[in-house]
Amino acid sequence: MKLGASVYSASKLATEEYPDINVSIRGAISIARRLQDPLAELVKIDPKAIGVGQYQHDVNQKVLNESLTGVVEDAVNKVGVDVNIATPSLLSYVSGVNSGIAKNIVKYRDENGKFTNRKQLLKVPKLRKSSI
């Protein structure tokens, strides 16, 4: 369960999410949150940090990263996400949503409340109709 917790806790993302909390506590928060929503927490960790085998450093790192990212995207799109609770990290793996749009979705949700239908997503800046 603790795979990647130390990597996440020292990351830029963890610092943005918990700016006033020390690294060891961030790691504990990440592990605890994995029990609540494993996919939402695990997407915050660089797939290479999870450990995919002892020879992972012997392969082309660009190809490895693309492959691992593709697997995460496939999983997120197969399982789906609740747009009313998803973090920008998780939303960025949804087809048609990049990190900027993911942040816009969360910002819009924070300012306007929960989404009650898909048409409301059209009000999110830079989210195109073809993405919904």
Side-chain angles (χ1 to χ4, degrees):
M1 270 304 262
K2 68 178 193 167
L3 291 172
S6 61
V7 173
Y8 163 77
S9 63
S11 72
K12 179 182 176 194
L13 177 59
T15 304
E16 290 171 1
E17 288 184 331
Y18 305 106
D20 300 325
I21 297 176
N22 80 31
V23 174
S24 61
I25 302 299
R26 285 186 210 144
I29 290 169
S30 178
I31 292 169
R33 289 176 72 183
R34 289 179 200 187
L35 296 171
Q36 296 171 318
D37 192 347
L39 190 56
E41 276 306 297
L42 290 173
V43 297
K44 295 177 184 179
I45 301 167
D46 180 351
K48 291 185 288 185
I50 293 173
V52 293
Q54 74 183 67
Y55 298 109
Q56 78 184 52
H57 301 290
D58 294 339
V59 299
N60 180 303
Q61 294 301 295
K62 183 177 185 240
V63 173
L64 176 64
N65 188 51
E66 288 171 357
S67 296
L68 293 172
T69 299
V71 169
V72 173
E73 287 174 351
D74 289 348
V76 168
N77 286 287
K78 182 144 180 113
V79 172
V81 299
D82 182 343
V83 72
N84 287 314
I85 61 171
T87 63
S89 301
L90 181 58
L91 288 168
S92 68
Y93 283 100
V94 172
S95 292
V97 177
N98 61 30
S99 62
I101 292 171
K103 289 176 184 173
N104 289 347
I105 291 169
V106 171
K107 181 179 179 191
Y108 184 90
R109 180 182 73 206
D110 290 345
E111 293 172 353
N112 299 286
K114 290 185 173 189
F115 293 96
T116 57
N117 62 62
R118 288 183 179 195
K119 285 188 177 185
Q120 287 177 306
L121 288 167
L122 294 172
K123 296 177 183 176
V124 173
K126 299 187 180 179
L127 186 61
R128 296 187 320 251
K129 189 174 185 176
S130 62
S131 299
I132 301 175

